[in-house]
Amino acid sequence: MLKEAISYSIDHDESVKLVQVTDPHLFADPEAQLLGVNTAHSLDAVLNTIKAVEYPAHLLLATGDISQDYSNQSYHNFVAAIEKLNLPCHYLPGNHDDPRIMNLHMQGPRVYGDRRILLGKWQIIMLDSTVRGKPGGHMADSEMAFIEEAVAAHPDKHTLLAMHHNPILVDCKWLDQHCMDNGEEFLDRVSSLPQVKGLLWGHVHQGLDQVYAGNSGPLRLMATPSTCIQFKPKSPYFALDAQQPGYRLLELRPDGSILTNVYRVPGNKFSPDHESSGY
């Protein structure tokens, strides 16, 4: 049985506006670094950039890898950091998160682990693609059934699916080892649902925006850069990119179309250790 969704009062002729941040990889220690980048400082720079553009967002989505060290404090640090945006935040786990610890400590006055969100003409479904103890992902049958049940409950609403792992390969041989291992099956199944208009994820630390020719029409596929280090696109081996930390803005329109762009912190303040061979 479906748990009740969290609902926001938005007119059906109004676009739903979202900010997505992903993969901040925070530590308990706010001065700790990941491959040469202070992840607390880079997240703060992203949040300051979002605040400066004054995008009239309804929600913030945080799509996993909130923590790098699995600590209680790393989640408290994230909640404290996002307060400046003054937005409701909905989150889901990544492979660097411990869902139990996350759910206990991602707590704030407007921080939610609810898995279904209703706004205007849209339903957003927050998915768990993680596999305990593994960097790669898998979409369990129970998650597939959850999507189908949620869509059936609101057949009149367009649907955005949010997750952590990439269901398609991104042409990085080392990184594609850690994709969603049943991504092709997942795409085939969700694309048979005409309500599903887009898939949104993190994990790959780079931007991607493609259209998948689904069984019931085109499906938007979107990956978003990390708020800390970036992985070099189309690299066969582990390599870091010089691009700055980023985020994504989305406008979900009442007709089911999606307008979206990736944006990055201006300047070149955050420079990772390019000699690193992994993390």
Side-chain angles (χ1 to χ4, degrees):
M1 183 176 177
L2 281 176
K3 289 185 178 179
E4 186 174 351
I6 188 167
S7 297
Y8 294 88
S9 180
I10 296 174
D11 290 341
H12 280 202
D13 60 354
E14 183 181 354
S15 292
V16 174
K17 295 181 179 179
L18 307 174
V19 179
Q20 180 203 9
V21 296
T22 194
D23 298 80
H25 293 270
L26 296 178
F27 297 85
D29 179 0
E31 296 306 316
Q33 295 188 355
L34 178 64
L35 304 183
V37 170
N38 179 305
T39 60
H41 292 177
S42 63
L43 173 62
D44 199 51
V46 167
L47 297 174
N48 286 337
T49 304
I50 295 168
K51 189 174 175 67
V53 300
E54 298 184 340
Y55 185 66
H58 296 105
L59 297 179
L60 173 69
L61 301 183
T63 51
D65 282 3
I66 305 302
S67 180
Q68 176 63 18
D69 63 2
Y70 301 97
S71 66
N72 301 351
Q73 188 60 45
S74 62
Y75 296 109
H76 293 298
N77 292 347
F78 180 82
V79 171
I82 63 171
E83 283 182 3
K84 68 178 67 181
L85 296 185
N86 195 29
L87 289 173
C89 175
H90 290 263
Y91 67 86
L92 55 81
N95 52 287
H96 282 272
D97 295 307
D98 182 317
R100 183 185 60 84
I101 295 173
M102 180 183 228
N103 290 332
L104 283 172
H105 296 281
M106 281 278 282
Q107 298 287 338
R110 291 201 293 170
V111 179
Y112 305 102
D114 299 72
R115 305 194 61 206
R116 291 197 304 130
I117 309 161
L118 302 177
L119 323 84
K121 285 287 291 180
W122 284 82
Q123 176 172 210
I124 301 170
I125 301 176
M126 306 292 279
L127 298 167
D128 184 352
S129 62
T130 62
V131 180
R132 187 171 180 84
K134 293 186 178 181
H138 179 84
M139 197 60 72
D141 285 342
S142 58
E143 294 294 285
M144 300 270 203
F146 171 56
I147 295 166
E148 290 163 351
E149 192 176 358
V151 167
H154 295 278
D156 59 326
K157 291 189 182 292
H158 311 301
T159 300
L160 176 71
L161 304 180
M163 65 211 75
H164 182 70
H165 289 88
N166 48 308
I168 62 169
L169 303 181
V170 296
D171 200 19
C172 279
K173 187 175 181 180
W174 74 271
L175 185 55
D176 283 335
Q177 300 175 82
H178 308 308
C179 68
M180 187 188 300
D181 63 7
N182 60 339
E184 188 173 338
E185 175 197 351
F186 171 66
L187 272 175
D188 185 63
R189 192 160 167 181
V190 299
S191 70
S192 68
L193 302 169
Q195 292 88 349
V196 177
K197 304 299 184 185
L199 276 62
L200 181 68
W201 65 85
H203 188 56
V204 296
H205 290 230
Q206 55 190 259
L208 179 149
D209 190 344
Q210 294 181 5
V211 176
Y212 176 77
N215 301 324
S216 298
L219 191 60
R220 197 79 172 267
L221 306 180
M222 298 161 286
T224 299
S226 167
T227 66
C228 61
I229 59 169
Q230 312 303 309
F231 297 148
K232 188 174 181 180
K234 300 188 182 301
S235 176
Y237 51 85
F238 180 89
L240 297 176
D241 200 357
Q243 291 204 74
Q244 293 297 288
Y247 63 98
R248 182 179 289 278
L249 300 181
L250 302 99
E251 180 181 342
L252 311 181
R253 305 182 86 177
D255 64 1
S257 62
I258 299 173
L259 299 179
T260 184
N261 274 298
V262 161
Y263 299 89
R264 294 182 185 271
V265 171
N268 57 2
K269 178 180 179 180
F270 298 98
S271 181
D273 178 4
H274 291 283
E275 301 302 313
S276 302
S277 59
Y279 80 110

